[in-house]
């Protein structure tokens, strides 16, 4: 595993999560900010997906990726070798 890349991506995700939590705590994010929350959470998910999907790639391999390959790495949700089903459902 390429630990420095995984560490970097997870640290980026953590930083963005902390920003969202801070905005919620400070009242800077409100119930009508759903689009902003969706964008922020999508960005965090990109970092988590990339951390998993590039964990075995060298820096050289990552640098050689096309933009399309990079986008796929950031948007392909891993199932972490488990049985998970992704889909739309209502929580609550």
């Amino acid at each position: 595993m390429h630990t420095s890349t995984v560490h970097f991506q997870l640290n980026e995700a953590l930083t963005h999560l902390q920003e969202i939590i801070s905005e919620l705590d400070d009242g800077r994010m409100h119930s009508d900010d759903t689009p902003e929350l969706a964008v922020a959470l999508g960005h965090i998910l990109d970092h988590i997906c990339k951390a998993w999907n590039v964990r075995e790639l060298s820096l050289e391999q990552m640098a050689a990726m096309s933009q399309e390959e990079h986008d796929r790495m950031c948007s392909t949700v891993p199932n972490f070798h488990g049985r998970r089903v992704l889909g739309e459902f209502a929580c609550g």
Side-chain angles (χ1 to χ4, degrees):
M1 175 173 50
H2 200 274
T3 57
S4 63
T5 300
V6 172
H7 182 275
F8 175 81
Q9 293 300 325
L10 293 179
N11 191 56
E12 287 291 303
L14 177 61
T15 299
H16 294 298
L17 278 170
Q18 290 169 330
E19 289 171 5
I20 293 172
I21 291 168
S22 178
E23 288 181 25
L24 290 168
D25 289 346
D26 297 346
R28 290 179 282 140
M29 186 175 289
H30 306 282
S31 60
D32 59 343
D33 291 334
T34 300
E36 290 85 354
L37 179 61
V39 169
L41 291 175
H43 186 77
I44 291 164
L45 184 57
D46 288 351
H47 285 294
I48 293 169
C49 291
K50 188 172 182 183
W52 179 258
N53 290 324
V54 302
R55 70 193 183 284
E56 300 296 334
L57 299 181
S58 69
L59 293 176
E60 293 78 19
Q61 289 171 310
M62 286 185 283
M65 281 194 295
S66 69
Q67 186 63 46
E68 182 179 292
E69 290 170 317
H70 177 268
D71 293 347
R72 184 177 47 79
M73 292 286 185
C74 293
S75 62
T76 303
V77 178
N79 79 1
F80 305 108
H81 303 295
R83 187 168 185 259
R84 292 179 175 84
V85 177
L86 298 175
E88 294 187 28
F89 57 92
C91 296

